[in-house]
Amino acid sequence: MIPLKIRHTTTYRYAHPVSLGPHRLMLRPRESRDLRLISIDVTVTPAAVITWAQDVFGNAVATATFQTMTEILTIDSVVNIELDAAAWPVFDIAAAAIFYPFLYSNDEATDLGALTARQYLDPNGQLLVWARAFIRANPTDTLALLKDLSAGVSAYVKYSTRDDEGTQSPIETLNAGWGSCRDFAVLFAEAARGLGFGARIVSGYLYNPAHTPTGAGNAGSTHAWAEVYVPGAGWITFDPTNRGVGGLNLIPVAVARDIRQTIPVAGSFVGAAGAFQGMSVEVMVAS
């Protein structure tokens, strides 16, 4: 078990006092056999009423509602967890799914639903051609195919930090030849869906004690990756940015069909044109 402390601070600044609409916060890590949540403390300034709920994916979502106007909004989350992910996980894949292609059971196909459906247009089949190039034989080893596909993202696309909002479509990432971790995650998940797999996007934090993984600043940062459902093994974690398999150094906060559903802080304000001056985010992940 590795005890970790995560501090995630988001600050919005306005030119004059504005009225704040409800803000949706996704800051609580997802508990599992690999991750134990010890405590979480979310402080919002100005004072807000915070209520908690679970979304359709089982993510913990807080809603902050405000009564006063303000020129500065600060959302400060301090989380303590214990992380116990295996460095070299073994996946007990069902016999019927060891080789690709395979079929999900009727129940699995129904429950995966939209997670097997491609989310982005590919009118010329460019992404599908790119994904199918990783199929070495018919049949081929399922896990090896997914590992090759994940490694292929970082081999084909150059990593680059990107501060602007939003995510590139998979075709935009392939054509540009560069992208951020969220672009890598979307490209991998969409390619896996094109091959018939159920896949979901994951957002959270990357713990970087050795300052070596791509996409991490200092000892940690926000990060995005993906999971693919394989019968028997369940959801297998793939970090295409770092060519990683399994949850080592990864702290999941939210899983979703679309990366837009995993934004850590989202909200609105009412004020004069030009009132918004900027936003800053600081993340610290440390043992």
Side-chain angles (χ1 to χ4, degrees):
M1 283 281 187
I2 304 173
L4 296 175
K5 179 179 181 179
I6 305 163
R7 184 160 195 168
H8 186 160
T9 304
T10 305
T11 304
Y12 296 88
R13 292 180 172 82
Y14 305 93
H16 55 74
V18 298
S19 297
L20 298 171
H23 278 58
R24 182 176 183 268
L25 315 178
M26 301 184 76
L27 300 167
R28 180 188 175 105
R30 290 174 62 93
E31 296 180 80
S32 68
R33 65 179 183 275
D34 297 330
L35 189 154
R36 179 188 176 200
L37 178 65
I38 305 301
S39 65
I40 178 170
D41 183 22
V42 178
T43 303
V44 179
T45 307
V49 176
I50 298 178
T51 57
W52 289 88
Q54 282 188 313
D55 66 10
V56 68
F57 301 103
N59 302 310
V61 180
T63 301
T65 54
F66 304 86
Q67 302 296 324
T68 60
M69 301 180 71
T70 186
E71 295 180 355
I72 298 178
L73 168 62
T74 302
I75 300 165
D76 187 42
S77 168
V78 179
V79 173
N80 288 283
I81 65 169
E82 289 182 341
L83 192 62
D84 191 28
W88 304 100
V90 176
F91 303 106
D92 189 15
I93 297 174
I98 290 176
F99 294 102
Y100 173 89
F102 64 87
L103 293 175
Y104 289 118
S105 70
N106 290 337
D107 283 343
E108 288 170 332
T110 299
D111 293 336
L112 287 169
L115 297 179
T116 61
R118 296 165 66 184
Q119 307 295 309
Y120 296 85
L121 295 176
D122 183 19
N124 299 319
Q126 179 182 354
L127 177 62
L128 196 55
V129 169
W130 182 82
R132 285 175 174 168
F134 293 94
I135 303 174
R136 310 301 183 189
N138 188 9
T140 193
D141 182 273
T142 298
L143 186 58
L145 168 60
L146 290 169
K147 287 180 177 179
D148 288 348
L149 183 62
S150 177
V153 172
S154 58
Y156 192 89
V157 181
K158 181 180 179 181
Y159 175 81
S160 177
T161 58
R162 189 161 56 80
D163 295 330
D164 52 315
E165 295 182 3
T167 303
Q168 296 174 168
S169 73
I171 299 302
E172 288 174 330
T173 301
L174 286 177
N175 289 338
W178 65 274
S180 66
C181 63
R182 58 188 186 273
D183 303 318
F184 280 40
V186 168
L187 172 57
F188 169 76
E190 193 73 353
R193 289 166 178 162
L195 296 179
F197 292 97
R200 61 189 187 183
I201 302 294
V202 190
S203 71
Y205 304 101
L206 174 62
Y207 175 50
N208 180 25
H211 299 265
T212 52
T214 301
N218 300 318
S221 65
T222 56
H223 195 51
W225 58 97
E227 294 177 345
V228 175
Y229 184 82
V230 179
W235 290 104
I236 300 178
T237 297
F238 292 91
D239 179 7
T241 304
N242 292 292
R243 303 189 183 192
V245 181
L248 185 68
N249 294 343
L250 298 175
I251 304 161
V253 171
V255 301
R257 170 184 53 83
D258 192 292
I259 197 166
R260 293 171 297 180
Q261 298 168 302
T262 67
I263 297 173
V265 178
S268 62
F269 73 93
V270 177
F276 180 69
Q277 291 190 314
M279 177 189 74
S280 63
V281 178
E282 296 180 8
V283 174
M284 179 275 294
V285 183
S287 59

